[in-house]
């Protein structure tokens, strides 16, 4: 259990060291002196122009260093790993305070404590609860119906994901939020998102288990859930490429476990196909 300091806030979580920093791949320009940049920050698309290389270089310089040192969320203080484009004045802070139920972010501990001690009416994510077993619940959210929550979730997730470009355009996605439930409420553990309509039949766009809950088996559970949803839709699915480094590790671990278990149960004269495996 985490310890608390004299202000009633949790002390830093011990096992949240960031992986080796890698070059950022997002294309979200940060310059406010360029009209094209302003449009892009509002969600516009890139168009070929002579300033593209300059904007990319400027963006890389700004985003290669994380802008928020740590977050305080629920019982934990967690070190951030990467840059995330939180809006001003929340984008250059030593500590960012986040409500684990509604994902509202705050700068000051007094506002955070006031919010969590009575102002916030929520004790679980919005959306529909689609799964419950023991103390685990999963909620399905439509990005269009729960836009603010999903945008806040993306900004929060970017603190721990190196390669992620989705921040504000959440309408075309479903979000599946995994929670641990106790007498206080449903505490967010991780999530994955997927496109509502995917021409490539991707069943997962982004996946994250928050650092304080990693190495507890949630990664395999989230991946298994994404495939179970695909099976209910009657079609095989695949995660969106390229996978992040942590995503590769999670998927290799998951499929190693699944395939070895499956092959151990098969008879030698059975001829099993890859498509059969995907629909099991």
């Amino acid at each position: 259990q985490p310890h608390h300091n004299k202000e009633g806030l949790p002390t830093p979580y011990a096992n949240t060291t960031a992986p080796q920093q890698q070059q950022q791949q997002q294309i979200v320009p940060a310059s406010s002196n360029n009209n094209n940049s302003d449009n892009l920050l509002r969600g516009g698309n890139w168009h070929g122009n002579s300033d593209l290389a300059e904007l990319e270089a400027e963006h890389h310089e700004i985003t290669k260093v994380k802008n928020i040192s740590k977050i305080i969320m629920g019982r934990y203080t967690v070190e951030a790993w990467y840059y995330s484009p939180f809006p001003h004045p929340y984008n250059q802070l030593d500590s960012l305070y986040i409500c684990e139920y509604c994902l509202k972010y705050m700068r000051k501990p007094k506002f955070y404590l006031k919010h969590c001690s009575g102002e916030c009416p929520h004790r679980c994510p919005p959306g529909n609860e689609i799964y419950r077993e023991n103390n685990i619940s999963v909620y399905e959210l439509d990005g269009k119906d729960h836009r603010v929550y999903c945008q806040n979730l993306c900004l929060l997730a970017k603190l721990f994901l190196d390669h992620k470009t989705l921040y504000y355009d959440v309408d075309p996605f479903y979000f599946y939020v995994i929670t641990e439930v106790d007498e206080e409420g449903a505490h967010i553990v991780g999530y994955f998102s997927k496109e509502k309509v995917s021409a490539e039949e991707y069943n997962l766009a982004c996946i994250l288990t928050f650092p304080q809950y990693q190495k507890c088996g949630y990664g395999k559970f989230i991946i298994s859930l994404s495939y179970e949803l695909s099976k209910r839709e009657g079609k095989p699915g695949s995660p969106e490429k390229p996978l992040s480094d942590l995503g590769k590790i999670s998927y290799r671990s998951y499929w190693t476990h699944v395939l070895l278990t499956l092959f151990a149960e098969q008879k030698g004269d059975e001829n099993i196909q890859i498509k059969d495996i995907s629909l099991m």
Side-chain angles (χ1 to χ4, degrees), residues 72-74 86 97-106 111-127 139 141 145-157 177 179 184-189 210:
I72 292 85
M73 186 170 70
F86 280 91
Y97 300 85
I98 300 176
C99 174
E100 63 180 332
Y101 301 118
C102 68
L103 301 189
K104 179 179 179 179
Y105 45 88
M106 293 152 272
F111 296 132
Y112 172 73
L113 293 172
K114 182 179 179 182
H115 175 86
C116 295
S117 62
E119 282 190 353
C120 182
H122 307 287
R123 283 298 176 265
C124 67
Y139 293 81
L141 289 71
D145 295 335
H146 306 283
R147 188 173 295 140
V148 173
Y149 182 95
C150 294
Q151 288 174 345
N152 289 348
L153 178 59
C154 289
L155 290 171
L156 172 61
V177 179
T179 65
E184 296 179 358
H187 310 277
I188 184 170
V189 166
F210 288 105

Side-chain angles (χ1 to χ4, degrees), residues 15-273:
N15 298 316
T16 57
T17 304
Q20 183 177 0
Q21 297 287 338
Q22 299 180 9
Q23 289 187 347
Q24 301 290 318
Q25 298 294 325
Q26 313 96 317
I27 306 180
V28 183
S31 172
S32 60
N33 297 322
N34 186 288
N35 291 333
N36 289 332
S37 173
D38 291 340
N39 291 332
L40 292 166
L41 285 171
R42 291 194 294 268
N45 295 321
W46 279 103
H47 300 283
N49 58 68
S50 60
D51 295 329
L52 179 58
E54 181 181 347
L55 287 171
E56 287 181 329
E58 181 180 358
H59 169 71
H60 172 69
E61 287 300 314
I62 292 175
T63 61
K64 70 180 181 180
V65 178
K66 65 182 183 181
N67 54 333
I68 295 170
S69 297
K70 59 182 179 292
I71 63 167
I72 292 85
M73 186 170 70
R75 299 185 295 267
Y76 300 102
T77 293
V78 186
E79 178 187 352
W81 294 354
Y82 301 110
Y83 171 93
S84 182
F86 280 91
H88 180 79
Y90 304 93
N91 57 349
Q92 293 291 338
L93 296 172
D94 179 66
S95 299
L96 185 65
Y97 300 85
I98 300 176
C99 174
E100 63 180 332
Y101 301 118
C102 68
L103 301 189
K104 179 179 179 179
Y105 45 88
M106 293 152 272
R107 292 186 299 158
K108 303 294 184 180
K110 63 178 181 180
F111 296 132
Y112 172 73
L113 293 172
K114 182 179 179 182
H115 175 86
C116 295
S117 62
E119 282 190 353
C120 182
H122 307 287
R123 283 298 176 265
C124 67
N128 299 318
E129 184 180 13
I130 62 170
Y131 175 92
R132 180 187 297 180
E133 184 177 6
N134 299 324
N135 68 328
I136 305 300
S137 288
V138 179
Y139 293 81
E140 181 185 61
L141 289 71
D142 188 322
K144 184 177 181 180
D145 295 335
H146 306 283
R147 188 173 295 140
V148 173
Y149 182 95
C150 294
Q151 288 174 345
N152 289 348
L153 178 59
C154 289
L155 290 171
L156 172 61
K158 179 61 190 72
L159 293 170
F160 308 104
L161 294 172
D162 188 11
H163 307 293
K164 180 175 174 60
T165 57
L166 172 66
Y167 307 127
Y168 298 109
D169 187 18
V170 297
D171 289 16
F173 292 85
Y174 289 116
F175 293 79
Y176 297 86
V177 179
I178 291 78
T179 65
E180 277 188 1
V181 182
D182 60 19
E183 62 278 1
E184 296 179 358
H187 310 277
I188 184 170
V189 166
Y191 84 103
F192 79 92
S193 61
K194 73 172 185 177
E195 290 181 288
K196 296 176 182 176
V197 179
S198 173
E200 297 84 0
E201 294 190 345
Y202 291 141
N203 67 354
L204 184 146
C206 182
I207 179 173
L208 175 68
T209 302
F210 288 105
Q212 63 269 37
Y213 294 102
Q214 290 180 3
K215 299 184 179 179
C216 297
Y218 284 113
K220 291 187 180 68
F221 173 79
I222 294 174
I223 294 171
S224 177
L225 177 62
S226 71
Y227 284 117
E228 187 63 34
L229 291 171
S230 292
K231 286 191 288 184
R232 295 193 173 216
E233 295 172 358
K235 57 185 179 183
S238 172
E240 187 174 316
K241 313 301 188 301
L243 292 170
S244 66
D245 291 339
L246 290 177
K248 290 178 183 178
I249 294 172
S250 297
Y251 269 89
R252 285 172 180 168
S253 175
Y254 171 80
W255 278 112
T256 298
H257 172 74
V258 169
L259 292 176
L260 289 178
T261 301
L262 177 64
F263 293 150
E265 297 173 349
Q266 295 298 308
K267 298 179 180 179
D269 58 349
E270 292 181 340
N271 184 18
I272 188 169
Q273 305 294 321

